[in-house]
Amino acid sequence: MVHVDRRTLLKAGATATAAGALGMTTTGTASAAVPTPTIHPTSEWGARPAAGPIVVENHKPTYIVVHHAVDPPMNNDFSLARAFYVSRFIQDLHMDKNGWIDSGQQFTNSRGGFVTEGRHRSLEILRGGTQHVQGANVGNHNSEVIGIENEGLYSTVDVPQALWDSLVNLVAYIAHQYGIAPEFIKGHRDFNSTECPGQVLYNRLPELRTAVGRVLGVSVARSEAEWPLLKPGDTGKKVQLAQQFLRASGFGVPTDGVFGKSTKDAVAALAVQAGLPRDTCTAAKAADETGFLGADVWPLIVPSGRSTAAWRADLTRA
């Protein structure tokens, strides 16, 4: 059985981060007329006090990360009161179940298009534009990301128009405040092995980048390929390649291109060995994500000697 030490894990993460930074390319002149969205602070929706000190990173975030909240379950209440309820629900879940000091995400976007502050001080620090509040929404990357929870489950259904419009406005404002290029708008699954932000919303991220670029007045360069997400039940060439890499790493899995139980068990064991974070957002409540093979697992199994970008591009085409 392969042993993955902490140095290997951190090196993989650093490689992915460096590759992403090198991929930033924008052209055009940014517009100064970026609308400031209405963001309801923690004091408005009845947030509990944080259970510990809020960490303020003395640098700007590198990425804006999109999530889907999954819980509480979706309904047709699009009111501001519902948005406040969702914010309280998520904070309670993150503090009482996950044991975090506060809401994990910096901001929450409701199905009615209302934006609330998540973790305390996030709005204050965002307005400053030079630092950012450290959240707890992307495992092993929280010092470099700012996260947005979008109310709802978007694995098979699309987002309401009001949510989409407020998401575009919020992301554009964050990008403007921090000078983040649209190519650095990511989904949670671009960092961790999770379905989040749901396949439907994830598929719309290129559209989101284009829309944000339009607000900012910049052209959006093509984003680099991301690590594919493989799940139990998947079949095909990508699965077969993953199985071959797992076998080369010491796991006795078949190479039949079918993501069955043995492959799932091997990926889950590897994740535990490497100390990868699990259940880092409520997406895991929609389906068991144990054994998902995504952005934090691929770097541990692909052969060395090639860049992260090259592997991601090849796997995308496979």
Side-chain angles (χ1 to χ4, degrees):
M1 183 67 71
V2 65
H3 173 71
V4 182
D5 62 23
R6 192 67 179 167
R7 178 188 294 179
T8 301
L9 177 62
L10 293 175
K11 181 180 178 182
T15 301
T17 301
L22 291 173
M24 184 175 68
T25 306
T26 56
T27 59
T29 302
S31 168
V34 175
T36 301
T38 298
I39 302 175
H40 301 274
T42 52
S43 59
E44 284 192 26
W45 55 265
R48 296 157 56 180
I54 299 296
V55 175
V56 178
E57 299 282 355
N58 195 28
H59 58 85
K60 301 177 182 181
T62 303
Y63 304 98
I64 302 169
V65 179
V66 177
H67 300 262
H68 64 174
V70 179
D71 268 337
M74 293 185 291
N75 64 19
N76 291 323
D77 183 350
F78 302 107
S79 67
L80 178 59
R82 167 71 180 184
F84 288 179
Y85 166 76
V86 169
S87 297
R88 291 191 297 269
F89 186 102
I90 292 174
Q91 186 190 41
D92 287 345
L93 182 69
H94 286 179
M95 294 180 73
D96 298 338
K97 181 181 178 182
N98 294 2
W100 298 343
I101 63 166
D102 199 354
S103 299
Q105 78 287 358
Q106 286 85 353
F107 298 99
T108 309
N109 185 27
S110 81
R111 287 169 57 78
F114 296 103
V115 177
T116 58
E117 180 182 31
R119 181 157 291 203
H120 286 78
R121 299 195 68 195
S122 294
L123 179 56
E124 165 206 344
I125 299 302
L126 169 62
R127 286 172 173 162
T130 59
Q131 301 171 303
H132 77 104
V133 165
Q134 184 188 109
N137 57 91
V138 178
N140 288 334
H141 293 275
N142 284 302
S143 65
E144 56 185 329
V145 306
I146 184 167
I148 303 166
E149 288 273 16
N150 292 279
E151 177 196 2
L153 172 62
Y154 298 109
S155 298
T156 59
V157 301
D158 206 351
V159 300
Q161 189 63 44
L163 183 148
W164 177 260
D165 292 342
S166 59
L167 179 61
V168 171
N169 293 336
L170 175 60
V171 172
Y173 177 67
I174 294 172
H176 174 72
Q177 287 297 99
Y178 289 129
I180 298 175
E183 298 87 275
F184 280 48
I185 300 166
K186 301 290 186 179
H188 186 181
R189 71 165 65 178
D190 293 328
F191 300 91
N192 301 136
S193 296
T194 177
E195 166 76 13
C196 186
Q199 190 63 52
V200 176
L201 181 52
Y202 186 77
N203 288 345
R204 295 191 68 181
L205 290 186
E207 182 185 351
L208 178 62
R209 295 180 189 114
T210 299
V212 168
R214 189 177 300 118
V215 175
L216 296 175
V218 300
S219 299
V220 183
R222 183 176 179 179
S223 296
E224 287 187 340
E226 300 290 351
W227 295 109
L229 176 68
L230 301 181
K231 300 180 284 187
D234 287 347
T235 60
K237 182 63 175 178
K238 292 184 180 67
V239 175
Q240 188 174 47
L241 286 170
Q243 291 172 326
Q244 291 171 356
F245 298 155
L246 286 165
R247 284 186 67 87
S249 298
F251 293 94
V253 299
T255 56
D256 56 2
V258 178
F259 201 129
K261 184 178 184 303
S262 61
T263 302
K264 174 184 176 180
D265 290 346
V267 174
L270 176 61
V272 170
Q273 279 190 6
L276 299 182
R278 312 313 302 168
D279 300 336
T280 50
C281 83
T282 55
K285 294 196 68 176
D288 179 12
E289 296 190 341
T290 304
F292 279 24
L293 198 163
D296 50 2
V297 175
W298 282 108
L300 303 178
I301 62 174
V302 294
S304 60
R306 301 186 68 211
S307 71
T308 297
W311 271 120
R312 291 192 305 204
D314 280 358
L315 287 166
T316 298
R317 291 190 293 264

